[in-house]
Amino acid sequence: IHSQFVPDYLYVGERLPLNFPKGMKAIIDYRKGWKNEDDRFPLFTCDNILEMGKCDARVKFLKLSYHELTRETFRVLNNVKDVVIVLETSHGNGVGEQRAFFHQLLREDCKIPVILCREYTEDNAEDLQIKAGADLGTLLLDGFGDGIMLSNVGKIDAKDVDAYALGILQAARVRMSKAEFISCPGCGRTLFDLQETVALVKNALSHLKNLKIAVMGCIVNGPGEMADADYGYVGAERGKISLYKKQQLVEKNIPADRAVERLIRLIKESGDWVEPDEK
């Protein structure tokens, strides 16, 4: 999996595992295993919230739910610096409860960063993507939340869960971690294998996280439908491809078996290329 899909912080519980990645930032339970070391950050709860004022960590994480947002909690939040709230929920309507939490922050004019925390028990990747996308994306699109903490107990690999979390952030335009690809559905004018070509382009360019790249089936509607893309790969005649930069035609009638290579060259010549290991 690409390194841009690695989260900024990993919650490890009471102690670091022996194989914990070097240089990775860890969140550790404050009373159970946290020590003030570089890239190690404490996680507090309401049970030890009053101890946050004595802690000199650069960032202090505080796990809260809606019902724990009391007057006493606000007093602490108003007096302790460098706090990030980790907002959890076990309510049947988790989106509604977490939205109510943000409304309460707005009423108190509290501008502390909030990480949306959701936990799932899914074995099927698509089920997790749909549920987490709906639960977290709804709030992010409303402008609520500064990040997400997504966990799953099931058969889905943790690295895939991390990639889904970053995908949700990108879809909500909160954080870009990979290139964005758009494509038409294809029609009778499409004279190449659209799905195979999209896969080839993604494989070559997915690390270019600040770019929007279009793969369009034909020259008739393609240029208009990809008007906001940075680069376009557009079908011309049979076996031929035209390349666009923004809305400008740069090269036309390139043999299809050389088009991806020429697209990479165009991106390099335009100064937008970085090597996959330079993310």
Side-chain angles (χ1 to χ4, degrees):
I1 192 165
H2 288 298
S3 62
Q4 73 261 35
F5 299 146
V6 175
D8 294 325
Y9 298 85
L10 284 174
Y11 172 63
V12 299
E14 298 182 12
R15 61 181 63 86
L16 286 179
L18 295 177
N19 60 345
F20 192 77
K22 185 177 181 181
M24 174 64 68
K25 297 175 182 176
I27 300 174
I28 305 172
D29 294 333
Y30 177 69
R31 285 183 177 173
K32 297 181 179 179
W34 178 76
K35 297 179 181 178
N36 195 356
E37 301 173 351
D38 289 342
D39 296 330
R40 306 293 179 257
F41 302 90
L43 178 67
F44 292 83
T45 66
C46 267
D47 291 336
N48 56 16
I49 189 172
L50 296 178
E51 298 178 48
M52 286 202 307
K54 308 171 188 176
C55 178
D56 56 357
R58 291 184 291 118
V59 178
K60 296 170 276 289
F61 291 88
L62 173 63
K63 182 179 287 188
L64 287 179
S65 65
Y66 171 69
H67 297 291
E68 294 172 322
L69 195 58
T70 63
R71 300 309 311 170
E72 178 60 30
T73 302
F74 274 116
R75 278 193 289 271
V76 175
L77 294 176
N78 289 332
N79 287 285
V80 179
K81 297 181 179 180
D82 305 317
V83 176
V84 175
I85 294 172
V86 178
L87 176 57
E88 62 178 355
T89 180
S90 58
H91 195 279
N93 180 9
V95 172
E97 185 179 72
Q98 290 188 320
R99 182 181 278 117
F101 185 96
F102 284 102
H103 287 166
Q104 186 66 20
L105 292 185
L106 290 172
R107 284 191 288 269
E108 297 291 333
D109 194 29
C110 182
K111 299 178 180 179
I112 289 177
V114 178
I115 304 301
L116 299 169
C117 177
R118 293 301 296 258
E119 300 179 358
Y120 300 89
T121 56
E122 303 297 332
D123 293 326
N124 182 276
E126 189 173 272
D127 290 339
L128 177 61
Q129 290 169 332
I130 292 172
K131 292 180 180 180
D135 292 339
L136 297 165
T138 298
L139 294 166
L140 293 171
L141 290 173
D142 283 345
F144 295 141
D146 299 277
I148 61 179
M149 182 176 178
L150 177 62
S151 62
N152 183 70
V153 178
K155 298 179 181 179
I156 304 171
D157 190 277
K159 291 183 178 180
D160 291 330
V161 175
D162 294 337
Y164 303 155
L166 287 163
I168 292 169
L169 291 172
Q170 176 149 334
R173 294 298 186 269
V174 174
R175 172 177 176 173
M176 305 298 287
S177 57
K178 57 185 176 180
E180 184 167 344
F181 298 91
I182 60 173
S183 177
C184 65
C187 67
R189 292 188 297 267
T190 303
L191 301 177
F192 62 93
D193 189 323
L194 190 61
Q195 291 184 333
E196 180 181 345
T197 302
V198 170
L200 289 172
V201 173
K202 281 186 174 183
N203 185 60
L205 307 177
S206 62
H207 66 286
L208 302 175
K209 63 182 180 180
N210 295 318
L211 296 182
K212 187 172 186 178
I213 300 164
V215 181
M216 312 303 290
C218 76
I219 205 71
V220 177
N221 296 321
E225 294 174 352
M226 66 174 197
D228 62 339
D230 297 296
Y231 295 92
Y233 179 114
V234 182
E237 57 188 80
R238 185 174 297 279
K240 302 290 185 180
I241 303 297
S242 294
L243 298 181
Y244 284 73
K245 181 179 179 183
K246 299 294 185 179
Q247 298 182 33
Q248 180 180 355
L249 175 63
V250 178
E251 294 187 71
K252 63 181 181 178
N253 296 330
I254 303 166
D257 59 353
R258 296 166 55 192
V260 174
E261 175 188 341
R262 296 281 277 274
L263 177 58
I264 292 173
R265 188 176 75 180
L266 173 60
I267 295 172
K268 288 181 176 180
E269 291 173 349
S270 301
D272 289 327
W273 180 265
V274 293
E275 294 299 328
D277 59 349
E278 295 180 1
K279 299 176 281 295

